[in-house]
Amino acid sequence: MSDHVYKIVELVGSSPDSLESAIDNALKKASETIRHMRWFEVIETRGHIEDGQVAHYQVKLKVGFTLDD
């Protein structure tokens, strides 16, 4: 196994459907400009309430990616 150096960025994803969809949305959008994403860590979860129900989920992620050689 070779040595790896990672860069870490923070992202916030959102979705009206679920926490998983909020994560997927953040990673999908980030993959358009960030190469070599390897892992993520959920560091915050929150949501928006309307009329006593969840209207939107929001998830803050740390995402690690390897740097180009």
Side-chain angles (χ1 to χ4, degrees):
M1 182 175 174
S2 62
D3 295 332
H4 294 286
V5 174
Y6 295 92
K7 173 81 174 167
I8 298 171
V9 296
E10 288 188 358
L11 305 171
V12 177
S14 63
S15 171
D17 301 319
S18 68
L19 295 171
E20 290 83 5
S21 291
I23 293 167
D24 289 343
N25 290 343
L27 295 176
K28 183 177 179 183
K29 184 65 176 173
S31 72
E32 294 175 8
T33 57
I34 300 173
R35 294 186 308 275
H36 313 301
M37 291 190 300
R38 302 292 185 226
W39 57 265
F40 72 91
E41 174 185 1
V42 176
I43 55 175
E44 286 182 27
T45 57
R46 60 185 163 267
H48 179 175
I49 302 168
E50 288 183 9
D51 299 322
Q53 296 185 354
V54 176
H56 228 86
Y57 298 90
Q58 200 172 59
V59 179
K60 186 175 185 181
L61 309 169
K62 284 186 181 179
V63 176
F65 60 96
T66 53
L67 301 173
D68 288 336
D69 291 333

